[in-house]
Amino acid sequence: MLTEQRRQELSDILRPVAPPREIDNIYTEDQRERLLDVVRQNGPWKLIIAQHFASPEELIATMSGKFPEGFTPTLDIFLTPTFRGFLANYGTALYPEVHDCFYNAKFIDMAKSYWNAEYAKPQMMLFNINGPCANRDPGHLDSPSFRGIRYENAPTWLVSVMGKSGLFQDYLIKMAQVITWFSLDETSGFTYWPDGPLKAPGRVLPPVYNRGVVVQNEMLVHRGEANGPLDQQVPAGLAFDTVFAGDPADRDHWVLKNDDTVIARHHTDELRFLVHWSAEVFEDYDELKKNMDGSDDLTIDKAIDMMVDDLSKKGIKLDIPSAPLHDPAFIGALNAAYDLGGPAIYPEEAPISAFQFA
């Protein structure tokens, strides 16, 4: 059980370099159409949860929150119909149709301005897409990147716990995102905690259509909000292998499918389409060089040792198992030591969607 002082210390770690900066008219209509065409022509797309997590402990380690005493969470309770795909990765646009969206001089300038830095380079671009959708996320961090340990070579849970611990600030790669939503829903916005999750939240108010934020989401607890009619937010038949695709018979519609069985169908106007652009940012040339030449990189073993040693000094003894990256008990214990228990306040207009505790 964390003391209030310790919870406040952990809350203070989770603060971005600057509050999110709201922006609008981010993409042209032609760019939006091309982005959607990539989604339409290259699916089907898997659920976010199915792509990134092998156990509830791995997922919970990216979040901040608690469950009723004695309740054992399963991945099923987090199952909501949100799907993901990458548009660019490793600094490379994966589809020629979005070349100008990824190598975007306006975005690069916004990233540098946000950090007051000299250099920035596009790193990754992804989309999340869904029709009506619940949101059971109490608040999370996007995967931080550290020199030597990144989402590309380490589990999502590990980099998230590293970020929450505050032990690796000297290795943290500065990042900035331009996050854009295309949603006509009048109730669904974006909740974030710029002063740490124990302080009051901010909110990007709906509707969020071609609107977004410049932000450091790796150190900002945040969450999207539920959207669409309540009775459609978790469609009957939703499963871990459900996929999302364009309706081949109608350009304006999209389907959720289990194998060949369609379990939901939505018009484009019912979608919440998020486009997430991310850049690495470097204060000066020395920082750029250090990030690129590998001269001051972490290893996964060293990172785990640093956290276990830190907890040992706090009176918490953890034995490192033979396969620590996928050991549920170890993951849960490590996360519990650095998790402050979730945000203290949510907007009245945007509560967490109800869980079904069995």
Side-chain angles (χ1 to χ4, degrees):
M1 177 69 71
L2 300 176
T3 65
E4 283 303 309
Q5 178 181 347
R6 179 59 175 158
R7 292 181 71 238
Q8 188 59 61
E9 290 172 356
L10 291 171
S11 179
D12 289 342
I13 291 168
L14 304 180
R15 301 176 64 177
V17 66
R21 296 179 180 176
E22 291 197 34
I23 51 177
D24 55 18
N25 297 315
I26 300 167
Y27 292 97
T28 67
E29 183 61 19
D30 172 63
Q31 287 175 324
R32 184 191 75 91
E33 282 291 333
R34 283 187 278 120
L35 288 163
L36 269 178
D37 273 343
V38 168
V39 181
R40 187 179 287 112
Q41 295 167 9
N42 294 278
W45 306 95
K46 295 181 179 180
L47 291 164
I48 293 176
I49 194 173
Q51 297 181 42
H52 294 287
F53 306 106
S55 70
E57 289 78 13
E58 291 187 22
L59 174 59
I60 292 165
T62 72
M63 297 181 174
S64 188
K66 292 182 176 178
F67 294 91
E69 187 174 350
F71 175 78
T72 301
T74 64
L75 281 174
D76 291 35
I77 69 169
F78 299 101
L79 199 60
T80 57
T82 306
F83 304 84
R84 169 171 291 177
F86 281 83
L87 302 164
N89 210 354
Y90 306 104
T92 304
L94 302 179
Y95 303 95
E97 302 95 317
V98 300
H99 187 277
D100 62 314
C101 301
F102 182 58
Y103 302 111
N104 189 315
K106 180 175 71 172
F107 289 3
I108 292 171
D109 286 342
M110 287 192 287
K112 291 191 294 186
S113 172
Y114 179 75
W115 277 94
N116 191 27
E118 191 171 355
Y119 301 107
K121 71 179 185 72
Q123 170 62 21
M124 181 268 285
M125 191 176 191
L126 60 75
F127 69 86
N128 295 344
I129 196 162
N130 56 265
C133 185
N135 195 312
R136 293 172 178 152
D137 173 12
H140 69 275
L141 303 174
D142 287 358
S143 297
S145 291
F146 305 90
R147 289 192 303 279
I149 303 178
R150 313 167 54 98
Y151 72 88
E152 296 99 334
N153 67 2
T156 301
W157 76 262
L158 176 63
V159 291
S160 295
V161 175
M162 288 172 64
K164 288 191 287 188
S165 76
L167 297 175
F168 302 95
Q169 295 298 101
D170 289 344
Y171 296 92
L172 183 69
I173 297 174
K174 296 179 174 69
M175 305 281 291
Q177 293 78 38
V178 175
I179 299 176
T180 308
W181 296 271
F182 295 95
S183 170
L184 296 172
D185 191 288
E186 295 286 343
T187 63
S188 179
F190 175 69
T191 308
Y192 59 90
W193 286 264
D195 299 313
L198 295 185
K199 303 293 186 180
R203 190 172 183 234
V204 178
L205 298 176
V208 285
Y209 190 89
N210 205 10
R211 294 176 54 218
V213 288
V214 184
V215 67
Q216 185 196 12
N217 258 4
E218 297 89 358
M219 296 305 293
L220 173 75
V221 176
H222 63 277
R223 61 188 298 273
E225 298 172 2
N227 66 284
L230 187 61
D231 62 351
Q232 298 179 35
Q233 289 184 3
V234 183
L238 183 68
F240 283 100
D241 57 358
T242 298
V243 295
F244 180 93
D247 185 339
D250 186 343
R251 178 178 173 82
D252 292 324
H253 281 85
W254 307 78
V255 294
L256 279 64
K257 300 191 301 181
N258 295 339
D259 295 322
D260 294 327
T261 302
V262 174
I263 64 169
R265 187 170 183 267
H266 304 299
H267 189 278
T268 298
D269 289 346
E270 298 174 282
L271 299 180
R272 180 179 168 112
F273 179 42
L274 174 153
V275 182
H276 172 127
W277 178 93
S278 189
E280 296 183 1
V281 182
F282 311 101
E283 182 176 342
D284 52 28
Y285 185 80
D286 287 342
E287 186 172 64
L288 170 63
K289 185 175 184 297
K290 184 165 65 174
N291 275 265
M292 293 301 153
D293 66 13
S295 61
D296 189 33
D297 281 5
L298 276 170
T299 65
I300 288 174
D301 286 344
K302 180 179 178 181
I304 290 175
D305 286 343
M306 286 174 65
M307 288 188 284
V308 169
D309 288 347
D310 176 63
L311 294 179
S312 179
K313 294 172 185 174
K314 294 177 170 60
I316 301 171
K317 179 171 174 54
L318 287 182
D319 293 324
I320 301 175
S322 58
L325 297 184
H326 300 289
D327 185 289
F330 179 73
I331 294 168
L334 202 59
N335 182 58
Y338 293 114
D339 184 75
L340 56 84
I345 305 168
Y346 292 88
E348 288 185 14
E349 305 88 349
I352 301 173
S353 299
F355 286 95
Q356 299 299 316
F357 292 117

